Amino acid sequence: AIHRRTTTLRRLIGGATRDLDGGSTARGGGGALMLDQLRQEAEEARDRVEEMQRLDAQLNAAPCSEVMAFFRRVVASKEQDSAVRELSQYLEEWKEPKILPLLERQREFLDRKEDHGDAS
């Protein structure tokens, strides 16, 4: 998208200089307006790239665990959607046997709490 916009910008800049030199003025003021808009969009795109580079540098400078580093590599991969779905599936499989005993303990705790509430 940026390449397409810069190509259009170059084309418009060439046309604008012809307009200023007394050449073809078929574009009139619309070309100058488009040129300004494309310049603004290019500037915003550069700002976004700079911000992303700054945030990436901060993220890379922050200490993280091996698990977090793995997760960042997976999310940053080219096949992000499939990688995240696969990771989600593995986490679900890992979580399932661990959560059942917790639910049972929670039920026992609530039953004991009810029993103590009825005795009062």
Short mmCIF file of all heavy atoms in Angstrom, two decimals, residues 64-77 80 83-84 87-88 91:
data_model
loop_
_atom_site.label_atom_id
_atom_site.label_comp_id
_atom_site.label_asym_id
_atom_site.label_seq_id
_atom_site.Cartn_x
_atom_site.Cartn_y
_atom_site.Cartn_z
N CYS A 64 11.78 -11.46 29.62
CA CYS A 64 10.61 -12.33 29.54
C CYS A 64 11.03 -13.79 29.73
O CYS A 64 12.17 -14.16 29.52
CB CYS A 64 9.86 -12.14 28.23
SG CYS A 64 10.73 -12.72 26.79
N SER A 65 10.06 -14.58 30.11
CA SER A 65 10.31 -16.00 30.34
C SER A 65 10.40 -16.74 29.01
O SER A 65 10.09 -16.18 27.95
CB SER A 65 9.17 -16.59 31.17
OG SER A 65 7.96 -16.55 30.40
N GLU A 66 10.82 -17.99 29.07
CA GLU A 66 10.91 -18.80 27.86
C GLU A 66 9.53 -18.98 27.24
O GLU A 66 9.38 -18.99 26.02
CB GLU A 66 11.52 -20.16 28.17
CG GLU A 66 12.99 -20.10 28.50
CD GLU A 66 13.55 -21.48 28.79
OE1 GLU A 66 13.03 -22.47 28.26
OE2 GLU A 66 14.51 -21.55 29.57
N VAL A 67 8.51 -19.13 28.07
CA VAL A 67 7.15 -19.30 27.58
C VAL A 67 6.70 -18.06 26.83
O VAL A 67 6.13 -18.15 25.73
CB VAL A 67 6.18 -19.62 28.75
CG1 VAL A 67 4.75 -19.66 28.28
CG2 VAL A 67 6.57 -20.91 29.42
N MET A 68 6.98 -16.89 27.39
CA MET A 68 6.59 -15.65 26.74
C MET A 68 7.34 -15.46 25.43
O MET A 68 6.77 -15.01 24.44
CB MET A 68 6.83 -14.47 27.68
CG MET A 68 6.29 -13.18 27.16
SD MET A 68 4.50 -13.31 26.96
CE MET A 68 4.15 -11.71 26.35
N ALA A 69 8.62 -15.81 25.42
CA ALA A 69 9.41 -15.70 24.19
C ALA A 69 8.84 -16.62 23.11
O ALA A 69 8.72 -16.23 21.94
CB ALA A 69 10.87 -16.04 24.46
N PHE A 70 8.46 -17.83 23.51
CA PHE A 70 7.84 -18.76 22.56
C PHE A 70 6.53 -18.19 22.03
O PHE A 70 6.27 -18.21 20.83
CB PHE A 70 7.59 -20.11 23.23
CG PHE A 70 6.76 -21.05 22.41
CD1 PHE A 70 7.30 -21.69 21.31
CD2 PHE A 70 5.42 -21.27 22.72
CE1 PHE A 70 6.53 -22.54 20.55
CE2 PHE A 70 4.65 -22.12 21.96
CZ PHE A 70 5.21 -22.76 20.87
N PHE A 71 5.71 -17.67 22.92
CA PHE A 71 4.43 -17.10 22.51
C PHE A 71 4.63 -15.94 21.53
O PHE A 71 3.94 -15.84 20.53
CB PHE A 71 3.65 -16.64 23.74
CG PHE A 71 2.29 -16.12 23.42
CD1 PHE A 71 1.27 -16.98 23.08
CD2 PHE A 71 2.04 -14.76 23.43
CE1 PHE A 71 0.00 -16.51 22.78
CE2 PHE A 71 0.77 -14.27 23.12
CZ PHE A 71 -0.24 -15.15 22.79
N ARG A 72 5.60 -15.08 21.81
CA ARG A 72 5.87 -13.96 20.90
C ARG A 72 6.32 -14.45 19.54
O ARG A 72 5.93 -13.89 18.51
CB ARG A 72 6.92 -13.03 21.51
CG ARG A 72 6.34 -12.18 22.60
CD ARG A 72 7.26 -11.21 23.27
NE ARG A 72 8.56 -10.98 22.71
CZ ARG A 72 9.55 -10.41 23.37
NH1 ARG A 72 9.37 -10.04 24.62
NH2 ARG A 72 10.71 -10.20 22.81
N ARG A 73 7.15 -15.49 19.51
CA ARG A 73 7.59 -16.05 18.21
C ARG A 73 6.41 -16.62 17.45
O ARG A 73 6.29 -16.45 16.24
CB ARG A 73 8.64 -17.14 18.42
CG ARG A 73 10.03 -16.62 18.61
CD ARG A 73 11.06 -17.73 18.48
NE ARG A 73 10.76 -18.92 19.23
CZ ARG A 73 11.11 -19.14 20.50
NH1 ARG A 73 11.78 -18.22 21.16
NH2 ARG A 73 10.80 -20.27 21.10
N VAL A 74 5.51 -17.30 18.14
CA VAL A 74 4.35 -17.91 17.49
C VAL A 74 3.44 -16.83 16.93
O VAL A 74 3.00 -16.89 15.78
CB VAL A 74 3.58 -18.83 18.47
CG1 VAL A 74 2.23 -19.21 17.92
CG2 VAL A 74 4.40 -20.06 18.77
N VAL A 75 3.15 -15.82 17.73
CA VAL A 75 2.25 -14.76 17.29
C VAL A 75 2.86 -13.96 16.14
O VAL A 75 2.16 -13.52 15.24
CB VAL A 75 1.88 -13.85 18.48
CG1 VAL A 75 1.15 -12.61 18.02
CG2 VAL A 75 1.02 -14.62 19.47
N ALA A 76 4.17 -13.82 16.14
CA ALA A 76 4.83 -13.05 15.09
C ALA A 76 5.07 -13.86 13.82
O ALA A 76 5.54 -13.32 12.83
CB ALA A 76 6.17 -12.52 15.60
N SER A 77 4.73 -15.13 13.84
CA SER A 77 4.99 -15.96 12.66
C SER A 77 4.10 -15.57 11.49
O SER A 77 3.08 -14.91 11.66
CB SER A 77 4.80 -17.44 13.00
OG SER A 77 3.43 -17.71 13.16
N GLN A 80 0.15 -16.83 11.40
CA GLN A 80 -0.30 -16.45 12.74
C GLN A 80 -1.61 -17.12 13.13
O GLN A 80 -1.74 -17.65 14.22
CB GLN A 80 -0.44 -14.94 12.80
CG GLN A 80 -0.91 -14.42 14.13
CD GLN A 80 -1.00 -12.91 14.14
OE1 GLN A 80 -0.67 -12.26 13.19
NE2 GLN A 80 -1.49 -12.37 15.23
N ALA A 83 -1.22 -20.83 13.83
CA ALA A 83 -0.37 -21.03 15.00
C ALA A 83 -1.12 -20.72 16.28
O ALA A 83 -1.01 -21.45 17.27
CB ALA A 83 0.89 -20.16 14.89
N VAL A 84 -1.90 -19.66 16.29
CA VAL A 84 -2.65 -19.29 17.49
C VAL A 84 -3.73 -20.33 17.77
O VAL A 84 -3.95 -20.71 18.92
CB VAL A 84 -3.25 -17.87 17.36
CG1 VAL A 84 -4.22 -17.57 18.47
CG2 VAL A 84 -2.14 -16.83 17.34
N LEU A 87 -1.96 -23.33 19.23
CA LEU A 87 -1.55 -23.05 20.60
C LEU A 87 -2.75 -23.08 21.54
O LEU A 87 -2.68 -23.63 22.65
CB LEU A 87 -0.88 -21.68 20.66
CG LEU A 87 -0.28 -21.27 21.99
CD1 LEU A 87 0.79 -22.25 22.43
CD2 LEU A 87 0.30 -19.87 21.89
N SER A 88 -3.87 -22.56 21.10
CA SER A 88 -5.10 -22.58 21.89
C SER A 88 -5.54 -24.02 22.17
O SER A 88 -5.94 -24.35 23.29
CB SER A 88 -6.19 -21.83 21.16
OG SER A 88 -7.42 -21.99 21.81
N LEU A 91 -3.24 -25.50 24.78
CA LEU A 91 -3.53 -24.97 26.11
C LEU A 91 -4.81 -25.57 26.68
O LEU A 91 -4.89 -25.85 27.88
CB LEU A 91 -3.64 -23.44 26.05
CG LEU A 91 -2.34 -22.69 25.91
CD1 LEU A 91 -2.61 -21.21 25.68
CD2 LEU A 91 -1.44 -22.90 27.10
#
